[in-house]
Amino acid sequence: MMIGSRLEALVSSQAARTPTADALVCEDQRLTYKELDDRSNQLARLLLSLDCRVGDRVCLFMPKGIDAIVAMLATLKSGAAYVPVDLESPAIRARRILDACSPTVIVVADEGCRLLDELLDHAGQKPAIVASGPDSLSAQNFRSNGSFADLDALSAAPVQKDVGDEDTAHILFTSGSTGTPKGVVITHRNVVGFLHWATSYFGVCAGDRISGHPPLHFDLSTFDIYGSLATGATLHLVPQKLNLLAPRLAAWMRDSELTQWFSVPSILTYMANFDAVKQDDFPHLQRLIWCGEVLPTPTLMYWMERLPHVTFTNLYGPTEATIASSYYTVPHIPADETEDIPIGSACEGEELLVLDENLEPAPAHEIGDLYIRGIGLSPGYWQDDEKTRAVFVQHPASDDAADLIYRTGDLARIDEHGLFRYLGRADSQIKSRGHRIELGEIETALNTLDYVHECAVVGVDSGGFEGTSICCAFVTDKDADVTPVMLRKDLAALVPRYMIPAQWMDMAALPKNANGKIDRSNIRGIFEDELRAKKNNQGRSVAR
Ligand code: AMP
């Protein structure tokens, strides 16, 4: 794979090589490479006819599916960048994303229609709308300017645009501590740089059947999509509804004869908890890859013991450095459940640095802040120079102001074998079931509720499927008779469901430290005790 290519060009070249091979499978739908290339050419023409220009944004209000992938490629072919919007977002949050990226066109599927209808009622802007399904046409507050039903009338010949690999391919919005989601800008070059290493390291090729598990607004999905479509493999999009049905997900994996599985760890723990994997299951599976958070060692042992024919690789990296920056292939089943798995070594084109507070290398094997430098580094946050400058800083040993390193917010050390070890966060960002959450975003939302006087949201390691459990201590107006049910309901209008705390504690006043600041470690301790007591009563753990 050539660095310097654009993503849609890689897919079109592959379509020329294997036109009749299946590119995409989603439930009972399939699309060949030629069909995918042709249909995305037709949609690109429709986007261009709606004044979509090089550098513009196209927002996708679409669930994971074949139409969404067609829309992504069509957007890139038109020279624009796509922004996948999480359809689970409450309207107020989705509106912030829409306002921030002021799209020229919105492509909406039936499933995204209700959310978009709510947004466009209020939004001053009126982007052009393309509907991928029939229901989208019956919305109250918008009329579509084009539809997938009209695509067959358009030419399927390629469109020619004056574009390059430094252009933005997509913007992925992630939790922001001040309540406004941050848009991470990702270029074609960022993604192709990762694919260059990953497709060769994992040996992805035509004939591979690759899982598409993460939602399309997660950056991990880009590896599945372009790693498959640039190599002639078939991408099997995992139906969302299977996520909470471990035995059916396992059955689907068997039926799809997957050769590669890639996901966040929580789904692997979930399947292990349900003991959904048989001995020597998934005979076609060659590699199982995870990224996004720590995979608990008991879960890893469960999978490795059952699937001795599979290679297991831990990928590490933030969205800001594109998909993953380091890797570690586990050589053998860990000896015991307390063994930590390294995040390993830098992927080709990337460099990991452990630095102290003066940006000097931390002493050998000692803990420091983890920084990343290399081809995956995003140009920064969408229209937010201040936030960009705060974390993308000049390399301390370089005179070149453009030679940047990204402060991940992670703590790490290099072990005696030269492998990087992840040691948690230096801030209040957490992962819950693979979702990246700034606890400050939840607090900001709660503080907008009139009756909340004070609140503190903390993450507590619950050890199970959820990973970190979100816990909230609050102080409210006693006359308002506030209950957690009421808080949960009001908060649900402001933040996505996965950010709603699982544990609540009504307090007369929040504990403070000597400086008068909220004593979060004290609050975390109280929740930890409670969760430990609950767990002891339930006694459930990974099946071994
Ligand atoms: P995201 O931008 O959603 O990919 O989240 C990035 C953050 O997830 C990193 O900064 C880490 O805190 C965490 N993370 C990603 N991969 C791993 C991993 N393999 N092990 C531990 N933490 C990880």
Side-chain angles (χ1 to χ4, degrees):
M1 184 170 308
M2 291 284 293
I3 293 179
S5 314
R6 281 174 56 98
L7 292 166
E8 77 280 7
L10 291 173
V11 181
S12 293
S13 307
Q14 186 57 49
R17 289 192 289 273
T18 52
T20 56
D22 278 337
L24 299 170
V25 177
C26 186
E27 306 209 54
D28 51 2
Q29 273 188 300
R30 276 171 190 271
L31 213 62
T32 66
Y33 271 88
K34 176 157 171 45
E35 287 165 338
L36 174 64
D37 201 33
D38 286 355
R39 202 152 174 80
S40 50
N41 285 340
Q42 290 169 317
L43 181 57
R45 269 175 215 288
L46 178 58
L47 297 178
L48 291 171
S49 75
L50 296 170
D51 271 346
C52 195
R53 306 244 181 275
V54 174
D56 283 2
R57 272 81 48 214
V58 172
C59 280
L60 308 180
F61 281 67
M62 310 178 83
K64 183 166 65 180
I66 287 181
D67 282 349
I69 310 258
V70 168
M72 287 175 169
L73 287 173
T75 304
L76 300 180
K77 287 176 174 183
S78 77
Y82 57 81
V83 184
V85 176
D86 176 9
L87 300 184
E88 308 272 310
S89 266
I92 192 168
R93 194 169 189 268
R95 187 174 307 135
R96 285 199 191 111
I97 295 175
L98 206 58
D99 288 347
C101 55
S102 49
T104 318
V105 181
I106 293 173
V107 186
V108 61
D110 292 349
E111 295 85 339
C113 216
R114 207 171 43 89
L115 177 63
L116 186 61
D117 214 16
E118 235 178 292
L119 299 187
L120 290 186
D121 184 19
H122 301 272
Q125 50 177 324
K126 286 284 172 213
I129 309 285
V130 172
S132 71
D135 287 357
S136 323
L137 303 170
S138 60
Q140 307 264 316
N141 294 307
F142 64 85
R143 293 229 325 269
S144 74
N145 309 81
S147 147
F148 276 35
D150 307 329
L151 291 183
D152 286 342
L154 297 173
S155 161
V159 297
Q160 303 295 338
K161 291 267 108 194
D162 185 14
V163 289
D165 75 321
E166 300 282 356
D167 295 342
T168 303
H170 47 250
I171 304 174
L172 300 174
F173 278 84
T174 180
S175 179
S177 55
T178 53
T180 305
K182 292 185 289 198
V184 185
V185 174
I186 300 292
T187 66
H188 288 256
R189 186 178 160 75
N190 291 150
V191 181
V192 175
F194 176 77
L195 295 180
H196 178 74
W197 169 80
T199 53
S200 133
Y201 180 77
F202 293 112
V204 187
C205 60
D208 261 322
R209 290 173 297 279
I210 309 258
S211 66
H213 182 264
L216 300 179
H217 58 278
F218 273 30
D219 87 321
L220 301 190
S221 67
T222 5
F223 176 33
D224 301 327
I225 298 168
Y226 299 106
S228 307
L229 300 181
T231 56
T234 305
L235 176 61
H236 289 251
L237 295 166
V238 184
Q240 191 113 2
K241 60 180 184 226
L242 294 187
N243 272 342
L244 290 172
L245 302 162
R248 284 190 51 203
L249 179 55
W252 178 89
M253 285 171 71
R254 258 167 236 135
D255 292 348
S256 307
E257 302 188 339
L258 296 181
T259 57
Q260 173 177 305
W261 175 268
F262 179 41
S263 71
V264 291
S266 48
I267 191 71
L268 300 174
T269 301
Y270 182 62
M271 290 179 78
N273 279 339
F274 275 86
D275 196 11
V277 184
K278 300 180 198 156
Q279 188 61 40
D280 302 312
D281 219 342
F282 319 123
H284 299 272
L285 194 65
Q286 295 167 14
R287 44 195 183 267
L288 186 149
I289 311 163
W290 69 93
C291 185
E293 55 187 312
V294 175
L295 176 70
T297 303
T299 301
L300 176 62
M301 292 168 76
Y302 171 92
W303 281 85
M304 287 187 86
E305 280 162 4
R306 277 156 187 77
L307 307 181
H309 57 288
V310 173
T311 302
F312 290 80
T313 302
N314 180 14
L315 290 182
Y316 157 85
T319 305
E320 285 84 341
T322 313
I323 310 169
S325 309
S326 77
Y327 68 102
Y328 179 76
T329 294
V330 185
H332 45 72
I333 301 176
D336 76 84
E337 297 193 348
T338 58
E339 204 177 288
D340 281 337
I341 305 303
I343 54 171
S345 320
C347 305
E348 189 189 320
E350 311 288 341
E351 186 185 347
L352 268 59
L353 304 97
V354 179
L355 304 179
D356 66 14
E357 61 280 11
N358 301 316
L359 298 187
E360 297 287 341
H365 316 316
E366 285 196 14
I367 183 168
D369 292 307
L370 185 56
Y371 287 78
I372 299 174
R373 180 196 207 185
I375 195 164
L377 237 57
S378 149
Y381 299 112
W382 175 249
Q383 291 184 332
D384 198 332
D385 284 346
E386 200 181 319
K387 283 207 179 91
T388 301
R389 279 199 304 272
V391 287
F392 292 87
V393 299
Q394 188 174 340
H395 188 283
S398 170
D399 298 331
D400 179 0
D403 184 356
L404 299 178
I405 53 176
Y406 169 68
R407 188 168 71 233
T408 61
D410 292 322
L411 299 170
R413 70 178 182 89
I414 303 174
D415 72 11
E416 52 290 2
H417 307 293
L419 297 171
F420 286 83
R421 300 266 172 178
Y422 171 81
L423 297 165
R425 294 287 305 174
D427 58 14
S428 61
Q429 179 183 301
I430 61 149
K431 281 295 178 87
S432 174
R433 295 187 205 177
H435 295 279
R436 169 170 158 176
I437 301 169
E438 292 285 355
L439 296 174
E441 177 166 357
I442 307 171
E443 287 183 3
T444 305
L446 282 167
N447 282 326
T448 64
L449 304 175
D450 292 349
Y451 53 79
V452 172
H453 287 332
E454 260 189 318
C455 69
V457 179
V458 294
V460 174
D461 184 11
S462 62
F465 163 51
E466 294 215 358
T468 304
S469 180
I470 306 171
C471 306
C472 173
F474 61 93
V475 179
T476 56
D477 197 335
K478 290 302 158 227
D479 301 334
D481 213 4
V482 176
T483 61
V485 174
M486 180 172 164
L487 274 161
R488 223 177 254 136
K489 183 170 153 281
D490 289 346
L491 188 59
L494 304 171
V495 298
R497 239 178 321 170
Y498 59 78
M499 289 195 194
I500 310 267
Q503 312 292 329
W504 299 85
M505 190 165 42
D506 192 351
M507 297 184 99
L510 296 186
K512 306 278 164 36
N513 60 26
N515 303 327
K517 287 191 176 167
I518 296 173
D519 188 349
R520 287 167 203 279
S521 60
N522 181 333
I523 294 172
R524 195 173 303 111
I526 302 175
F527 279 116
E528 272 164 2
D529 290 346
E530 255 190 32
L531 280 175
R532 207 170 302 124
K534 260 192 198 163
K535 216 171 166 187
N536 288 343
N537 289 341
Q538 286 167 353
R540 188 171 202 181
S541 66
V542 168
R544 292 288 316 283

